[in-house]
Coordinates of all heavy atoms in Angstrom, one line a residue:
M59 N 156.7 -8.2 86.8 CA 157.1 -7.2 87.8 C 157.6 -6.0 87.0 O 158.1 -6.1 85.9 CB 158.3 -7.8 88.6 CG 158.8 -6.9 89.6 SD 159.4 -7.8 91.0 CE 159.0 -6.9 92.3
L60 N 157.3 -4.8 87.6 CA 157.6 -3.6 86.9 C 159.0 -3.1 87.2 O 159.6 -3.3 88.3 CB 156.7 -2.5 87.4 CG 155.2 -2.5 87.1 CD1 154.5 -1.4 87.8 CD2 155.0 -2.5 85.6
T61 N 159.6 -2.5 86.2 CA 161.0 -1.9 86.4 C 160.8 -0.6 87.1 O 159.7 -0.1 87.2 CB 161.7 -1.7 85.1 OG1 161.0 -0.8 84.3 CG2 161.8 -3.0 84.3
K62 N 161.8 -0.1 87.6 CA 161.8 1.2 88.3 C 161.3 2.3 87.3 O 160.5 3.2 87.7 CB 163.2 1.5 88.8 CG 163.2 2.7 89.7 CD 164.6 2.8 90.4 CE 164.6 3.9 91.4 NZ 165.8 4.1 92.1
A63 N 161.7 2.3 86.1 CA 161.3 3.3 85.1 C 159.8 3.2 84.8 O 159.1 4.2 84.7 CB 162.1 3.1 83.8
Q64 N 159.3 1.9 84.7 CA 157.9 1.7 84.4 C 157.0 2.2 85.6 O 156.0 2.8 85.4 CB 157.6 0.3 84.1 CG 158.1 -0.2 82.8 CD 158.0 -1.7 82.6 OE1 158.1 -2.5 83.6 NE2 157.8 -2.2 81.4
A65 N 157.5 1.9 86.8 CA 156.8 2.4 88.0 C 156.7 3.9 88.1 O 155.7 4.5 88.4 CB 157.4 1.8 89.2
Q66 N 157.8 4.5 87.7 CA 157.9 6.0 87.7 C 157.0 6.5 86.7 O 156.3 7.5 86.9 CB 159.3 6.4 87.5 CG 159.5 7.9 87.5 CD 159.2 8.6 88.8 OE1 159.3 7.9 89.8 NE2 158.8 9.8 88.8
E67 N 156.9 5.9 85.5 CA 156.0 6.4 84.4 C 154.6 6.3 84.9 O 153.7 7.2 84.6 CB 156.3 5.6 83.2 CG 155.5 6.1 82.0 CD 155.7 5.2 80.7 OE1 156.7 4.5 80.7 OE2 154.9 5.4 79.8
L68 N 154.2 5.1 85.5 CA 152.8 5.0 86.0 C 152.5 6.0 87.0 O 151.4 6.5 87.1 CB 152.7 3.5 86.5 CG 152.6 2.4 85.5 CD1 152.5 1.1 86.1 CD2 151.4 2.7 84.6
R69 N 153.4 6.3 87.9 CA 153.1 7.3 89.0 C 152.9 8.7 88.3 O 152.0 9.4 88.7 CB 154.3 7.4 90.0 CG 154.2 6.3 91.0 CD 155.1 6.7 92.2 NE 156.4 6.3 92.4 CZ 157.2 5.3 92.0 NH1 156.8 4.4 91.4 NH2 158.4 5.0 92.3
E70 N 153.7 9.0 87.3 CA 153.6 10.3 86.6 C 152.2 10.3 85.9 O 151.5 11.3 86.0 CB 154.7 10.4 85.6 CG 154.6 11.6 84.7 CD 155.5 12.7 85.2 OE1 156.2 12.6 86.1 OE2 155.3 13.8 84.6
K71 N 151.8 9.3 85.2 CA 150.5 9.3 84.6 C 149.4 9.4 85.6 O 148.4 10.0 85.3 CB 150.3 8.0 83.7 CG 151.2 8.0 82.5 CD 151.0 6.7 81.7 CE 151.8 6.8 80.4 NZ 151.7 5.6 79.6
A72 N 149.5 8.7 86.7 CA 148.5 8.8 87.7 C 148.3 10.2 88.3 O 147.2 10.7 88.5 CB 148.8 7.8 88.9
R73 N 149.5 10.8 88.4 CA 149.5 12.2 88.9 C 148.8 13.1 87.9 O 148.0 14.0 88.3 CB 150.9 12.7 89.2 CG 151.0 14.1 89.8 CD 152.5 14.4 90.2 NE 153.3 14.7 89.0 CZ 153.3 15.8 88.3 NH1 152.6 16.8 88.7 NH2 154.1 16.0 87.3
W74 N 149.1 13.0 86.6 CA 148.4 13.8 85.6 C 146.9 13.5 85.5 O 146.1 14.4 85.4 CB 149.1 13.6 84.2 CG 150.3 14.3 84.1 CD1 151.6 13.8 84.0 CD2 150.5 15.7 84.0 NE1 152.5 14.8 83.9 CE2 151.9 16.0 83.9 CE3 149.6 16.8 83.9 CZ2 152.4 17.3 83.7 CZ3 150.1 18.1 83.8 CH2 151.5 18.3 83.7
G75 N 146.5 12.2 85.8 CA 145.1 11.9 85.8 C 144.4 12.5 87.0 O 143.3 13.0 86.8
E76 N 145.0 12.6 88.1 CA 144.4 13.2 89.3 C 144.3 14.7 89.0 O 143.3 15.3 89.4 CB 145.3 13.0 90.5 CG 145.1 11.6 91.1 CD 143.7 11.4 91.6 OE1 143.1 12.3 92.2 OE2 143.1 10.3 91.3
L77 N 145.3 15.4 88.4 CA 145.2 16.8 88.1 C 144.1 17.1 87.2 O 143.4 18.1 87.3 CB 146.6 17.3 87.6 CG 147.7 17.4 88.5 CD1 149.0 17.7 87.8 CD2 147.4 18.4 89.6
Y78 N 143.9 16.2 86.1 CA 142.9 16.4 85.2 C 141.5 16.2 85.8 O 140.6 17.0 85.6 CB 143.0 15.4 84.0 CG 142.0 15.5 83.0 CD1 141.8 16.6 82.2 CD2 141.1 14.4 82.7 CE1 140.8 16.7 81.3 CE2 140.1 14.5 81.8 CZ 140.0 15.7 81.0 OH 139.0 15.8 80.1
R79 N 141.4 15.3 86.7 CA 140.1 15.0 87.4 C 139.7 16.3 88.3 O 138.6 16.7 88.3 CB 140.2 13.8 88.2 CG 138.8 13.5 88.9 CD 138.8 12.3 89.8 NE 137.6 12.1 90.5 CZ 136.5 11.5 90.0 NH1 136.6 10.8 88.8 NH2 135.4 11.4 90.6
R80 N 140.7 16.8 89.0 CA 140.5 17.9 89.8 C 140.1 19.1 89.0 O 139.2 19.9 89.4 CB 141.7 18.3 90.7 CG 141.8 17.4 92.0 CD 142.8 17.9 92.9 NE 143.8 16.8 93.0 CZ 145.1 17.0 93.1 NH1 145.6 18.2 93.1 NH2 145.9 16.0 93.1
A81 N 140.7 19.3 87.9 CA 140.3 20.4 87.0 C 138.9 20.3 86.5 O 138.1 21.3 86.4 CB 141.3 20.5 85.8
L82 N 138.5 19.1 86.1 CA 137.1 18.8 85.7 C 136.1 19.1 86.8 O 135.1 19.8 86.6 CB 137.0 17.4 85.2 CG 137.3 17.0 83.8 CD1 137.2 15.5 83.6 CD2 136.5 17.8 82.8
E83 N 136.5 18.6 88.0 CA 135.6 18.9 89.2 C 135.4 20.4 89.4 O 134.3 20.9 89.7 CB 136.1 18.2 90.4 CG 136.0 16.6 90.3 CD 136.7 16.0 91.5 OE1 137.3 16.7 92.4 OE2 136.6 14.7 91.6
K84 N 136.6 21.1 89.4 CA 136.5 22.5 89.6 C 135.7 23.2 88.6 O 134.9 24.1 88.9 CB 138.0 23.1 89.6 CG 138.1 24.5 89.8 CD 139.5 25.0 89.7 CE 139.7 26.5 89.8 NZ 141.0 26.9 89.5
D85 N 135.8 22.9 87.3 CA 135.0 23.5 86.2 C 133.5 23.2 86.4 O 132.7 24.1 86.3 CB 135.5 23.0 84.9 CG 136.8 23.6 84.5 OD1 137.3 24.5 85.1 OD2 137.4 23.0 83.5
I86 N 133.2 22.0 86.8 CA 131.8 21.6 87.0 C 131.2 22.4 88.1 O 130.1 22.9 88.0 CB 131.6 20.1 87.2 CG1 131.9 19.4 85.9 CG2 130.2 19.7 87.7 CD1 132.0 17.9 86.0
L87 N 131.9 22.5 89.2 CA 131.4 23.3 90.4 C 131.2 24.7 90.0 O 130.3 25.4 90.4 CB 132.3 23.1 91.6 CG 132.3 21.7 92.2 CD1 133.4 21.6 93.2 CD2 131.0 21.3 92.7
K88 N 132.2 25.3 89.2 CA 132.1 26.7 88.8 C 130.9 26.9 87.9 O 130.1 27.8 88.1 CB 133.4 27.1 88.0 CG 133.3 28.4 87.4 CD 134.6 28.8 86.7 CE 134.9 27.8 85.5 NZ 136.0 28.2 84.7
Y89 N 130.7 26.0 86.9 CA 129.5 26.2 86.0 C 128.2 25.9 86.7 O 127.2 26.5 86.4 CB 129.7 25.3 84.8 CG 130.8 25.7 83.9 CD1 131.7 24.7 83.4 CD2 131.0 27.0 83.5 CE1 132.8 25.1 82.6 CE2 132.0 27.4 82.6 CZ 132.9 26.4 82.2 OH 133.9 26.8 81.3
S90 N 128.2 25.0 87.7 CA 127.0 24.7 88.4 C 126.5 25.9 89.2 O 125.3 26.0 89.3 CB 127.1 23.4 89.3 OG 127.9 23.7 90.4
G91 N 127.4 26.7 89.6 CA 127.0 27.9 90.3 C 126.3 28.9 89.4 O 125.4 29.6 89.9
I92 N 126.6 28.8 88.1 CA 126.0 29.7 87.2 C 124.7 29.1 86.7 O 123.6 29.7 86.6 CB 126.9 29.9 86.0 CG1 128.2 30.7 86.4 CG2 126.2 30.7 84.8 CD1 129.3 30.7 85.4
V93 N 124.7 27.8 86.3 CA 123.6 27.1 85.7 C 122.5 26.8 86.8 O 121.3 26.9 86.5 CB 124.1 25.8 85.0 CG1 122.9 25.0 84.5 CG2 125.0 26.2 83.9
Q94 N 122.9 26.3 87.9 CA 122.0 25.9 89.0 C 122.3 26.6 90.3 O 122.8 26.0 91.2 CB 122.0 24.4 89.2 CG 121.6 23.6 88.0 CD 121.7 22.1 88.3 OE1 122.8 21.7 88.8 NE2 120.7 21.3 87.9
P95 N 122.1 27.9 90.4 CA 122.5 28.6 91.6 C 121.8 28.2 92.9 O 122.3 28.4 94.0 CB 122.2 30.1 91.3 CG 121.2 30.1 90.2 CD 121.5 28.8 89.4
E96 N 120.6 27.6 92.7 CA 119.8 27.1 93.9 C 120.4 25.8 94.5 O 120.0 25.4 95.6 CB 118.4 27.0 93.6 CG 118.0 25.9 92.5 CD 118.2 26.4 91.1 OE1 118.4 27.6 90.8 OE2 118.2 25.5 90.2
M97 N 121.2 25.1 93.7 CA 121.8 23.8 94.2 C 122.9 24.1 95.2 O 123.9 24.8 94.8 CB 122.3 23.0 93.0 CG 122.9 21.7 93.4 SD 121.8 20.5 94.0 CE 120.9 20.1 92.4
P98 N 122.8 23.6 96.4 CA 123.9 23.8 97.4 C 125.3 23.2 96.9 O 125.3 22.2 96.3 CB 123.5 23.1 98.6 CG 122.0 22.9 98.5 CD 121.8 22.8 97.0
R99 N 126.3 24.0 97.1 CA 127.7 23.5 96.6 C 128.1 22.2 97.2 O 128.7 21.4 96.5 CB 128.7 24.6 96.9 CG 130.1 24.3 96.4 CD 131.1 25.4 96.6 NE 132.4 25.0 96.2 CZ 132.9 25.3 95.0 NH1 132.2 25.9 94.1 NH2 134.1 24.9 94.7
E100 N 127.7 22.0 98.5 CA 128.1 20.7 99.1 C 127.4 19.5 98.4 O 128.1 18.4 98.3 CB 127.6 20.7 100.6 CG 128.3 21.7 101.4 CD 127.7 23.1 101.3 OE1 126.5 23.2 100.9 OE2 128.5 24.1 101.5
V101 N 126.2 19.7 98.0 CA 125.5 18.6 97.2 C 126.3 18.3 95.9 O 126.5 17.1 95.6 CB 124.1 18.9 97.0 CG1 123.4 17.9 96.1 CG2 123.3 19.1 98.3
M102 N 126.6 19.4 95.2 CA 127.3 19.2 93.9 C 128.7 18.6 94.2 O 129.2 17.7 93.4 CB 127.5 20.5 93.2 CG 126.2 21.0 92.5 SD 125.6 19.8 91.3 CE 126.9 19.8 90.1
E103 N 129.4 19.0 95.2 CA 130.7 18.4 95.5 C 130.7 16.9 95.8 O 131.5 16.2 95.2 CB 131.4 19.1 96.7 CG 131.9 20.5 96.4 CD 132.4 21.2 97.6 OE1 132.2 20.7 98.8 OE2 133.0 22.3 97.5
S104 N 129.7 16.5 96.5 CA 129.6 15.0 96.8 C 129.1 14.3 95.6 O 129.6 13.2 95.3 CB 128.6 14.8 98.0 OG 127.3 15.2 97.6
A105 N 128.3 14.9 94.7 CA 127.9 14.2 93.5 C 129.1 14.1 92.5 O 129.3 13.0 91.9 CB 126.7 15.0 92.8
V106 N 129.9 15.1 92.4 CA 131.0 15.1 91.5 C 132.1 14.1 92.0 O 132.6 13.4 91.1 CB 131.6 16.6 91.4 CG1 133.0 16.6 90.8 CG2 130.6 17.4 90.6
K107 N 132.3 14.0 93.3 CA 133.3 13.1 93.8 C 132.9 11.6 93.5 O 133.8 10.8 93.3 CB 133.5 13.3 95.2 CG 134.2 14.5 95.6 CD 134.8 14.5 97.0 CE 135.4 15.8 97.3 NZ 136.4 16.3 96.5
A108 N 131.6 11.3 93.4 CA 131.1 10.0 93.2 C 131.1 9.6 91.7 O 130.9 8.4 91.3 CB 129.7 9.8 93.8
M109 N 131.3 10.6 90.8 CA 131.2 10.3 89.3 C 132.5 9.7 88.8 O 133.5 10.0 89.3 CB 130.9 11.6 88.6 CG 129.5 12.2 88.9 SD 129.4 13.7 88.0 CE 127.8 13.6 87.4
G110 N 132.3 9.0 87.7 CA 133.4 8.5 86.9 C 133.9 9.5 85.9 O 133.2 10.6 85.7
M111 N 135.0 9.3 85.3 CA 135.6 10.3 84.4 C 134.7 10.6 83.2 O 134.6 11.7 82.8 CB 137.0 9.8 83.9 CG 138.1 9.9 85.0 SD 138.3 11.5 85.6 CE 139.1 12.3 84.2
E112 N 134.1 9.6 82.6 CA 133.3 9.8 81.4 C 132.1 10.7 81.8 O 131.8 11.6 81.1 CB 132.7 8.5 80.9 CG 133.7 7.8 80.0 CD 133.1 6.6 79.3 OE1 131.9 6.6 79.0 OE2 133.8 5.6 79.1
D113 N 131.5 10.4 83.0 CA 130.4 11.3 83.4 C 130.8 12.7 83.7 O 130.1 13.6 83.4 CB 129.7 10.7 84.7 CG 129.0 9.3 84.3 OD1 128.6 9.1 83.2 OD2 128.8 8.5 85.3
L114 N 132.0 12.8 84.3 CA 132.5 14.2 84.6 C 132.7 15.0 83.3 O 132.4 16.1 83.2 CB 133.8 14.1 85.4 CG 133.7 13.7 86.8 CD1 135.1 13.5 87.4 CD2 133.0 14.8 87.6
E115 N 133.3 14.3 82.3 CA 133.6 15.0 81.0 C 132.3 15.4 80.4 O 132.1 16.5 79.9 CB 134.4 14.1 80.1 CG 135.8 14.0 80.5 CD 136.6 13.0 79.6 OE1 136.0 12.1 79.0 OE2 137.8 13.2 79.6
T116 N 131.3 14.5 80.4 CA 130.0 14.8 79.7 C 129.3 15.9 80.5 O 128.8 16.9 79.9 CB 129.1 13.5 79.8 OG1 129.8 12.5 79.1 CG2 127.8 13.8 79.1
M117 N 129.3 15.9 81.8 CA 128.6 16.9 82.6 C 129.4 18.3 82.4 O 128.7 19.3 82.3 CB 128.6 16.5 84.0 CG 127.8 17.5 84.9 SD 127.7 16.8 86.6 CE 126.1 17.3 87.0
G118 N 130.7 18.2 82.4 CA 131.5 19.4 82.2 C 131.1 20.1 80.9 O 131.0 21.3 80.8
R119 N 131.1 19.3 79.8 CA 130.7 19.9 78.5 C 129.3 20.5 78.5 O 129.1 21.6 78.0 CB 130.9 18.9 77.4 CG 132.3 18.6 77.0 CD 132.4 17.8 75.7 NE 131.8 16.5 75.8 CZ 132.3 15.4 76.2 NH1 133.6 15.4 76.6 NH2 131.6 14.2 76.2
A120 N 128.4 19.8 79.1 CA 127.0 20.2 79.1 C 126.9 21.5 79.9 O 126.2 22.5 79.5 CB 126.1 19.1 79.7
Y121 N 127.5 21.5 81.1 CA 127.4 22.7 81.9 C 128.1 23.9 81.3 O 127.6 25.1 81.4 CB 128.0 22.5 83.3 CG 127.0 21.9 84.3 CD1 125.9 21.3 83.9 CD2 127.3 22.1 85.7 CE1 125.0 20.8 84.9 CE2 126.4 21.6 86.6 CZ 125.2 20.9 86.2 OH 124.4 20.5 87.1
E122 N 129.2 23.7 80.6 CA 129.9 24.8 79.9 C 129.0 25.4 78.8 O 128.9 26.6 78.7 CB 131.2 24.2 79.3 CG 132.0 25.3 78.7 CD 133.4 24.8 78.1 OE1 133.6 23.6 78.2 OE2 134.2 25.6 77.7
K123 N 128.3 24.5 78.0 CA 127.4 25.1 77.0 C 126.2 25.8 77.6 O 125.9 26.9 77.2 CB 126.8 23.9 76.2 CG 127.7 23.4 75.1 CD 127.0 22.3 74.3 CE 127.9 21.6 73.3 NZ 127.2 20.6 72.6
M124 N 125.7 25.3 78.7 CA 124.5 26.0 79.4 C 125.0 27.3 80.0 O 124.3 28.3 79.9 CB 124.0 25.1 80.5 CG 123.3 23.8 79.9 SD 122.9 22.5 81.1 CE 121.9 23.3 82.3
A125 N 126.2 27.3 80.6 CA 126.7 28.6 81.1 C 127.0 29.6 80.0 O 126.7 30.8 80.2 CB 127.9 28.3 82.0
G126 N 127.4 29.1 78.9 CA 127.7 30.0 77.8 C 126.5 30.6 77.2 O 126.5 31.8 76.7
K127 N 125.3 29.9 77.3 CA 124.1 30.5 76.8 C 123.6 31.6 77.8 O 123.0 32.6 77.4 CB 123.0 29.4 76.7 CG 123.3 28.5 75.5 CD 122.2 27.4 75.3 CE 122.6 26.5 74.2 NZ 121.7 25.4 74.1
L128 N 123.8 31.3 79.1 CA 123.3 32.3 80.1 C 124.2 33.5 80.2 O 123.7 34.6 80.4 CB 123.3 31.6 81.5 CG 122.2 30.5 81.7 CD1 122.4 29.8 83.0 CD2 120.8 31.1 81.6
L129 N 125.5 33.3 80.1 CA 126.5 34.4 80.1 C 127.4 34.3 79.0 O 128.6 33.8 79.1 CB 127.3 34.3 81.4 CG 126.6 34.5 82.7 CD1 127.5 34.2 83.9 CD2 126.0 35.9 82.9
P130 N 127.0 34.8 77.8 CA 127.9 34.7 76.6 C 129.1 35.5 76.8 O 129.1 36.7 77.3 CB 127.0 35.1 75.5 CG 125.9 35.9 76.1 CD 125.7 35.4 77.5
L131 N 130.3 35.0 76.4 CA 131.5 35.7 76.5 C 131.7 36.5 75.2 O 131.5 36.0 74.1 CB 132.7 34.7 76.7 CG 132.7 33.9 77.9 CD1 133.8 32.9 77.9 CD2 132.7 34.8 79.2
R132 N 132.2 37.7 75.4 CA 132.5 38.5 74.3 C 133.7 39.5 74.7 O 133.7 40.0 75.8 CB 131.3 39.2 73.8 CG 131.2 40.5 73.6 CD 129.8 41.1 73.2 NE 130.0 42.5 73.4 CZ 129.2 43.2 74.2 NH1 128.2 42.7 74.8 NH2 129.5 44.5 74.4
P133 N 134.6 39.7 73.8 CA 135.8 40.6 74.1 C 135.3 42.0 74.5 O 134.3 42.5 73.9 CB 136.6 40.6 72.8 CG 136.2 39.4 72.1 CD 134.8 39.1 72.4
Q134 N 136.0 42.6 75.4 CA 135.6 43.9 75.9 C 135.7 45.0 74.8 O 134.9 45.9 74.8 CB 136.4 44.3 77.1 CG 136.1 43.5 78.3 CD 137.0 43.9 79.5 OE1 137.9 44.7 79.3 NE2 136.6 43.5 80.6
L135 N 136.7 44.8 73.9 CA 136.9 45.9 73.0 C 136.2 45.7 71.6 O 136.4 46.4 70.7 CB 138.4 46.0 72.7 CG 139.2 46.3 73.9 CD1 140.7 46.4 73.6 CD2 138.8 47.7 74.5
T136 N 135.3 44.7 71.6 CA 134.6 44.4 70.4 C 133.5 45.5 70.2 O 132.7 45.8 71.2 CB 133.9 43.1 70.4 OG1 134.9 42.1 70.6 CG2 133.1 42.8 69.2
P137 N 133.4 46.2 69.1 CA 132.4 47.2 68.9 C 131.0 46.5 68.9 O 130.9 45.4 68.4 CB 132.7 47.8 67.6 CG 133.6 46.9 66.9 CD 134.3 46.0 67.9
E138 N 130.1 47.2 69.4 CA 128.7 46.7 69.4 C 128.2 46.7 68.0 O 128.5 47.7 67.2 CB 127.8 47.6 70.3 CG 128.1 47.4 71.7 CD 127.2 48.2 72.6 OE1 126.0 48.4 72.2 OE2 127.6 48.6 73.7
R139 N 127.4 45.7 67.6 CA 126.9 45.6 66.3 C 125.7 46.6 66.2 O 124.8 46.5 67.1 CB 126.4 44.2 66.0 CG 127.6 43.3 65.8 CD 127.2 41.9 65.4 NE 125.8 41.7 65.1 CZ 125.2 40.5 65.1 NH1 125.8 39.5 65.5 NH2 123.9 40.4 64.9
R140 N 125.7 47.4 65.2 CA 124.6 48.3 65.0 C 123.8 47.8 63.8 O 124.4 47.3 62.8 CB 125.1 49.7 64.8 CG 125.7 50.4 66.0 CD 125.9 51.8 65.7 NE 127.3 52.1 65.8 CZ 128.0 53.1 65.3 NH1 127.3 54.0 64.6 NH2 129.2 53.3 65.5
E141 N 122.5 47.9 63.9 CA 121.7 47.6 62.8 C 121.9 48.6 61.7 O 122.1 49.8 62.0 CB 120.2 47.5 63.2 CG 119.9 46.4 64.2 CD 118.5 46.3 64.5 OE1 117.6 46.9 63.8 OE2 118.2 45.8 65.6
E142 N 121.9 48.2 60.5 CA 122.1 49.1 59.4 C 120.9 50.0 59.3 O 119.8 49.6 59.2 CB 122.2 48.3 58.0 CG 123.6 47.5 57.9 CD 124.8 48.5 57.9 OE1 124.7 49.5 57.2 OE2 125.8 48.2 58.5
Q143 N 121.2 51.3 59.4 CA 120.1 52.3 59.3 C 120.3 53.0 58.0 O 121.4 53.4 57.7 CB 120.2 53.2 60.5 CG 120.0 52.5 61.8 CD 120.1 53.5 63.0 OE1 120.4 54.7 62.8 NE2 119.9 53.0 64.2
P144 N 119.3 53.2 57.3 CA 119.4 54.0 56.1 C 119.8 55.4 56.4 O 119.4 56.0 57.4 CB 118.0 53.9 55.4 CG 117.1 53.6 56.6 CD 117.9 52.8 57.6
E145 N 120.7 56.0 55.6 CA 121.1 57.3 55.8 C 120.0 58.3 55.6 O 119.2 58.1 54.6 CB 122.3 57.7 54.9 CG 123.6 56.9 55.3 CD 124.7 57.4 54.4 OE1 124.8 58.6 54.1 OE2 125.6 56.5 54.2
E146 N 119.9 59.3 56.4 CA 118.8 60.2 56.3 C 118.8 61.0 55.0 O 117.8 61.3 54.4 CB 118.7 61.1 57.5 CG 118.4 60.4 58.8 CD 118.5 61.3 60.0 OE1 118.5 62.5 59.8 OE2 118.5 60.8 61.1
N147 N 120.0 61.4 54.6 CA 120.2 62.2 53.5 C 120.8 61.5 52.3 O 121.5 62.0 51.4 CB 121.1 63.5 53.8 CG 120.5 64.4 54.8 OD1 119.2 64.5 54.8 ND2 121.3 64.9 55.7
G148 N 120.5 60.2 52.2 CA 121.1 59.4 51.2 C 120.7 59.8 49.8 O 121.5 59.7 48.8
G149 N 119.5 60.3 49.6 CA 119.1 60.7 48.3 C 119.7 62.0 47.8 O 119.6 62.3 46.6
F150 N 120.4 62.8 48.7 CA 121.0 64.0 48.3 C 122.5 63.9 48.1 O 123.1 64.9 47.8 CB 120.7 65.1 49.4 CG 119.2 65.3 49.5 CD1 118.5 64.8 50.6 CD2 118.6 66.1 48.6 CE1 117.2 65.1 50.7 CE2 117.2 66.4 48.8 CZ 116.5 65.8 49.8
R151 N 123.0 62.7 48.1 CA 124.5 62.6 47.9 C 124.8 62.7 46.4 O 124.0 62.3 45.5 CB 124.9 61.2 48.4 CG 125.2 61.2 49.8 CD 126.2 60.2 50.1 NE 125.5 59.0 50.7 CZ 126.1 57.9 50.9 NH1 127.3 57.7 50.6 NH2 125.4 56.9 51.4
I152 N 125.9 63.3 46.1 CA 126.4 63.4 44.8 C 127.4 62.3 44.5 O 128.2 61.9 45.2 CB 127.0 64.8 44.5 CG1 126.0 65.9 44.8 CG2 127.6 64.9 43.2 CD1 126.5 67.3 44.7

């Protein structure tokens, strides 16, 4: 039989597990809109709800990589890389 403290600890862990699962589901649905825009959201929602945690984590990582390739993130203030161009008057420098 569980003590009151053990039962409370299990409830807390279950709550954190549910929060983590919801976050994974949310991320997968977000990334699926980018990676597979033609897939209806309702279909993805029902598929995600039926998945186990390992499958959710694997799918989340895969979709995140695929979305990163389609929409690479880059800071707004990063200067654009310019290709090195030879200076026009480089031969006349002293």
Side-chain angles (χ1 to χ4, degrees):
M59 183 150 216
L60 293 175
T61 66
K62 192 173 185 178
Q64 290 172 327
Q66 179 64 26
E67 183 181 348
L68 285 176
R69 278 198 270 327
E70 175 99 6
K71 287 180 179 180
R73 188 175 67 82
W74 281 108
E76 282 298 317
L77 290 172
Y78 180 62
R79 182 181 178 92
R80 276 190 246 144
L82 277 176
E83 290 176 355
K84 181 182 170 189
D85 288 345
I86 290 171
L87 292 173
K88 174 179 64 174
Y89 292 133
S90 73
I92 296 168
V93 174
Q94 295 177 316
E96 64 280 347
M97 179 70 71
R99 184 175 175 92
E100 295 81 24
V101 172
M102 284 302 296
E103 284 175 350
S104 65
V106 164
K107 288 196 185 305
M109 294 177 135
M111 287 300 291
E112 279 187 35
D113 293 336
L114 284 173
E115 288 176 334
T116 303
M117 187 176 217
R119 283 192 302 270
Y121 271 22
E122 185 176 5
K123 281 183 184 178
M124 292 164 61
K127 288 179 184 175
L128 291 173
L129 295 172
L131 297 178
R132 131 179 164 238
Q134 291 180 346
L135 300 177
T136 301
E138 292 185 28
R139 288 182 10 202
R140 291 189 238 163
E141 294 180 22
E142 289 294 320
Q143 298 176 358
E145 291 187 33
E146 293 177 11
N147 297 323
F150 296 103
R151 276 206 259 171
I152 300 177

